[in-house]
Amino acid sequence: MPRNEPTEANEPTEVTDAWGEERSSKRRKAVRYGVPVAVAGVAAATIGLVPAFAGSGSPDLPKISAQDLIAKIATSDVQQLSGTVRVTTDLGLPSLPDGLGGGAGGFGGGQGSAGSGEKDGDGASVSPAKKLMELASGTHTLRVAADGPDKQRVSIVDKAAEYSLVHSGNEVWAYDSGSNTAVHSTAPDAGRHSEREKPRGLPGDLKNATPQDLAKQALKAVGDTTSVTVDGTAKVAGRDAYQLLIKPKQAASTVGSIRVAVDAANGTPLKFTLTPKSGGPAAIDVGYTSVDFAKPAASTFSFTPPKGAEVVDAVKERAKEAKGERAHGKDVTGRKDVKEFRKGLTKDLGGLNVIGEGWTSIATVKGAGSGLPTGKDKAAGGDAGAFLDSIGEKTSGSFGSGRIFSTRLVNALITDNGAVYVGAVDKQALIDAANAAK
């Protein structure tokens, strides 16, 4: 691989367009619009991930430019590994009051989660989407393993229970030890990709649960709106690593920086840290605490439901749903709810649109004539309205009035006529977008 002339030590080397002129304008546009929204989605939907413990000292490694380090990541062909990932999320999400689904457990909590020992009776507690919500806050430990594109396993280890998602060939199992429930399904994409195109991360619904997945998304943002430098070295999970520092150039972005620790030997991202511009601890931070690049044992990817476990056949459940027969009244895969939500956005709210570019992209949904309930509402949404009033900041502009809901990374403006503006941008950017759309 050709290298740029080395600088003194591993000094920062800025890259304004890491992929050079070879990138087409179409790809450039997709990059600008896609990544900041993806970062916002990951943050809002859940995965802020934890710091791996870096070892003491900074290893003395050969000099490398930012361009070459990005190329090293892009050409890395690691397909076999096993290890432990620590996940911590600090998005500044509010705790939900009793009666609004959070209970004492706060945001994303509630009953039926892993470790509660409670059965939902239909396997819904085993839904990967539900597990993602549990990663929205606090610290979690994952055990991961992969052997090529068709064998992966990830386990979320709780104090009292463990949730595992196992993919082997076209077989996929999800098991929640807390409810002793297993869901079996088939991988719809098995055999449909070329070797080069096959996914090499974790199974679909738990994508973005490793440093590799998150780094891949962040690197798509490299372009005119982004500064990329090599910022020293580190020890992560006992491995020598270079540190790639990614910073948005657009002032309205709430992202301060993204730091990716890259394995010096094989180019695998070992640690991903996203720090908000407002400072404080990382909002999204995920890293290996231990990692082994040897081939995992074949038994790692085999699964047999424990004796006495409730086993749900997701394929049959989906077939029943297609006929309008929902055996247990809930969707164990979570896919139907997602499809209905997307359909609702498109049909009832006028569809999703993205305005702006780069890190200041804003996702918008046209208003349907009514906004969120307020504390004055005494009907069904009274308590919810009072809660929303307590966490939403009232604002106004030429667009009218509405409320802004904020986390440390993502802000959302919901106008009184039901229009929605959301992005990893500051509050004024949302107000300006709403005024411009008036």
Side-chain angles (χ1 to χ4, degrees):
M1 177 188 309
R3 298 183 120 185
N4 290 352
E5 205 57 30
T7 57
E8 196 74 35
N10 271 310
E11 295 181 355
T13 305
E14 183 169 336
V15 177
T16 56
D17 189 342
W19 300 116
E21 297 179 358
E22 296 179 5
R23 185 168 57 182
S24 67
S25 60
K26 182 177 180 181
R27 175 177 174 79
R28 200 182 192 94
K29 184 175 181 180
V31 162
R32 288 177 176 174
Y33 286 105
V35 174
V37 174
V39 170
V42 168
T46 61
I47 302 192
L49 295 115
V50 185
F53 296 121
S56 58
S58 300
D60 185 13
L61 298 173
K63 305 168 187 65
I64 191 171
S65 68
Q67 293 97 327
D68 284 346
L69 187 53
I70 291 174
K72 191 178 186 71
I73 297 172
T75 58
S76 177
D77 195 34
V78 171
Q79 298 193 44
Q80 298 173 335
L81 64 79
S82 57
T84 301
V85 177
R86 286 195 63 203
V87 176
T88 295
T89 307
D90 186 1
L91 298 175
L93 295 170
S95 295
L96 297 182
D98 292 341
L100 291 180
F107 186 90
Q111 298 179 346
S113 60
S116 67
E118 297 185 22
K119 281 178 173 286
D120 285 341
D122 62 351
S125 66
V126 195
S127 166
K130 181 179 178 67
K131 296 304 163 184
L132 280 178
M133 288 306 299
E134 293 177 8
L135 295 178
S137 62
T139 299
H140 303 269
T141 299
L142 310 182
R143 287 200 295 263
V144 301
D147 183 7
D150 296 323
K151 291 184 179 181
Q152 300 95 31
R153 180 176 187 134
V154 57
S155 297
I156 302 174
V157 184
D158 252 343
K159 292 181 179 179
E162 180 173 318
Y163 170 84
S164 293
L165 187 62
V166 184
H167 171 213
S168 181
N170 66 345
E171 301 289 316
V172 178
W173 283 94
Y175 176 70
D176 176 25
S177 68
S179 61
N180 197 24
T181 303
V183 173
H184 175 256
S185 61
T186 57
D189 293 332
R192 286 173 47 189
H193 303 279
S194 68
E195 281 302 314
R196 191 172 185 82
E197 293 174 331
K198 283 182 180 178
R200 293 178 182 173
L202 296 172
D205 290 309
L206 286 180
K207 279 286 186 184
N208 299 319
T210 66
Q212 299 100 300
D213 294 322
L214 287 166
K216 185 184 300 182
Q217 292 298 317
L219 287 176
K220 288 180 182 177
V222 173
D224 296 337
T225 62
T226 309
S227 168
V228 184
T229 61
V230 176
D231 189 27
T233 64
K235 274 275 190 185
V236 178
R239 307 277 300 186
D240 289 351
Y242 293 103
Q243 297 201 82
L244 192 67
L245 186 62
I246 302 170
K247 287 187 174 182
K249 291 183 177 181
Q250 295 162 297
S253 173
T254 56
V255 176
S257 67
I258 294 175
R259 186 177 294 271
V260 181
V262 183
D263 193 291
N266 58 33
T268 300
L270 299 174
K271 188 171 186 280
F272 176 98
T273 305
L274 189 156
T275 303
K277 184 182 290 184
S278 58
I284 297 177
D285 193 13
V286 53
Y288 287 97
T289 56
S290 64
V291 64
D292 186 346
F293 294 103
K295 181 183 178 70
S299 59
T300 303
F301 310 104
S302 63
F303 178 82
T304 301
K307 185 177 180 179
E310 177 184 358
V311 178
V312 178
D313 189 325
V315 176
K316 291 182 178 178
E317 290 295 323
R318 285 196 293 268
K320 290 178 181 178
E321 288 169 5
K323 296 178 181 178
E325 303 171 6
R326 303 190 71 185
H328 300 288
K330 295 182 181 178
D331 174 23
V332 301
T333 66
R335 295 179 182 176
K336 183 166 184 174
D337 291 338
V338 171
K339 288 180 179 178
E340 289 177 348
F341 175 71
R342 289 174 178 169
K343 182 178 179 182
L345 285 179
T346 303
K347 183 178 179 180
D348 300 330
L349 298 179
L352 181 68
N353 186 35
V354 177
I355 58 177
E357 64 176 28
W359 297 92
T360 54
S361 298
I362 297 173
T364 71
V365 177
K366 292 182 180 179
S370 61
L372 294 170
T374 69
K376 297 178 181 179
D377 297 327
K378 300 302 181 182
D383 291 341
F387 170 67
L388 292 174
D389 279 344
S390 71
I391 64 172
E393 175 185 336
K394 293 183 179 180
T395 189
S396 61
S398 60
F399 68 88
S401 59
R403 280 176 288 189
I404 291 180
F405 301 89
S406 301
T407 70
R408 297 179 62 223
L409 189 62
V410 178
N411 291 314
L413 166 63
I414 302 180
T415 69
D416 287 346
N417 70 354
V420 179
Y421 300 84
V422 60
V425 297
D426 60 32
K427 299 174 185 178
Q428 188 58 50
L430 295 178
I431 294 173
D432 291 344
N435 287 338
K438 179 177 177 295

